[in-house]
Amino acid sequence: MVSVLLIGMGKFGRTLGEKLLDMGDEVMIVDKDEDKINALASKYTNALITNCMNEENLAMMDIPSFDACVVAIGDDFQSSLEITSILKDLGAKRVISRATTEIQRKFLMRVGADEVIYPDADIAEKLAIKMNSAHVLNYIELDDVNSIFEIDLPSKWENRTLLDVNPRGRFGMNILTIKRGEQVISQLDGNFVFQAGDQIIVFGNADKIFAFTNKTDKKKK
């Protein structure tokens, strides 16, 4: 469980807040829009209606006590920039700010953001990956090179052992877990046998895994 200060309760902020609550986190929400806060306050640990561009208002929230502060403002970059800077000046442990362009990312990093996210770009990238491979079910980018993919089991792997397939040696993929219907199988050894319908969670070089899924698609056509 982590404690989070979530500033900006637009569509992205609301979605993020709900996911954090589902994971059992303590979330304080802040927005200058009274109607938004009144509609959401009952769900959260704490809620406040205030203008976060005012340093005194932010200072009253005991910023260092939060594990992370998220600036989820998407329609006012000047506000996002100033709030990010103030949070760091007030001793925030970790500031995650939202950007819509690369230029915005650079400015946010310069004023102290520890991490900058691109919700729209991330969604577009995931959609592009899925559209280009029928077997990619989900995709999480970890850095510029490595990603986690959830993919359908290739038909050629059915009824074969993990040792026989050797996904790490042959395809550069590390299998993290297997989803088999409602069952999640995380303890795997070389004698594990793949079955039709399995979904596999793999980690590795994104380009190599994506190339592998494309190759699988072409062979099945």
Side-chain angles (χ1 to χ4, degrees):
M1 182 183 72
V2 296
S3 59
V4 180
L5 174 63
L6 179 54
I7 300 173
M9 296 308 292
K11 184 176 180 181
F12 172 73
R14 293 195 302 272
T15 301
L16 176 60
E18 290 173 2
K19 294 297 182 182
L20 291 171
L21 288 178
D22 289 343
M23 297 178 72
D25 296 327
E26 294 182 351
V27 184
M28 177 177 178
I29 60 171
V30 184
D31 199 291
K32 62 183 179 181
D33 189 317
E34 182 177 356
D35 291 337
K36 289 180 180 178
I37 294 298
N38 287 339
L40 298 168
S42 62
K43 300 179 180 179
Y44 290 88
T45 306
N46 205 346
L48 186 64
I49 304 165
T50 193
N51 181 357
C52 290
M53 290 182 68
N54 184 312
E55 185 171 351
E56 293 182 359
N57 292 342
L58 279 175
M60 294 173 60
M61 301 178 203
D62 189 16
I63 299 303
S65 68
F66 293 96
D67 295 313
C69 299
V70 180
V71 184
I73 301 169
D75 57 357
D76 186 347
F77 178 64
Q78 183 64 33
S79 294
S80 181
L81 196 66
E82 292 188 26
I83 293 169
T84 297
S85 178
I86 295 171
L87 287 170
K88 294 303 291 187
D89 288 342
L90 291 174
K93 296 175 184 175
R94 183 184 180 199
V95 178
I96 304 169
S97 301
R98 179 183 178 184
T100 57
T101 67
E102 176 62 18
I103 293 296
Q104 288 185 3
R105 185 195 72 81
K106 289 180 179 179
F107 277 109
L108 287 165
M109 295 297 288
R110 286 177 185 173
V111 299
D114 298 290
E115 183 178 349
V116 177
I117 54 174
Y118 298 79
D120 294 337
D122 290 344
I123 291 171
E125 182 175 1
K126 287 184 179 182
L127 178 58
I129 292 290
K130 289 184 179 181
M131 289 175 65
N132 278 276
S133 176
H135 298 293
V136 174
L137 307 173
N138 208 346
Y139 164 82
I140 301 173
E141 182 180 280
L142 300 179
D143 55 32
D144 292 338
V145 177
N146 299 296
S147 297
I148 294 174
F149 283 77
E150 180 180 356
I151 64 177
D152 287 323
L153 181 77
S155 59
K156 287 191 174 182
W157 293 16
E158 293 175 10
N159 302 316
R160 295 174 63 187
T161 66
L162 179 60
L163 183 63
D164 180 37
V165 173
N166 189 19
R168 179 185 298 178
R170 296 178 62 197
F171 310 110
M173 297 189 300
N174 295 284
I175 296 184
L176 302 178
T177 190
I178 304 291
K179 293 172 65 176
R180 181 172 291 168
E182 298 297 320
Q183 183 182 12
V184 176
I185 306 171
S186 57
Q187 299 297 323
L188 305 173
D189 60 27
N191 295 319
F192 175 82
V193 179
F194 294 106
Q195 295 182 9
D198 284 350
Q199 294 172 357
I200 56 177
I201 314 299
V202 300
F203 161 80
N205 181 288
D207 290 338
K208 289 183 179 179
I209 296 174
F210 187 51
F212 170 80
T213 60
N214 270 342
K215 184 178 180 181
T216 303
D217 282 342
K218 290 175 181 178
K219 284 186 176 181
K220 293 191 74 173
K221 289 179 181 178

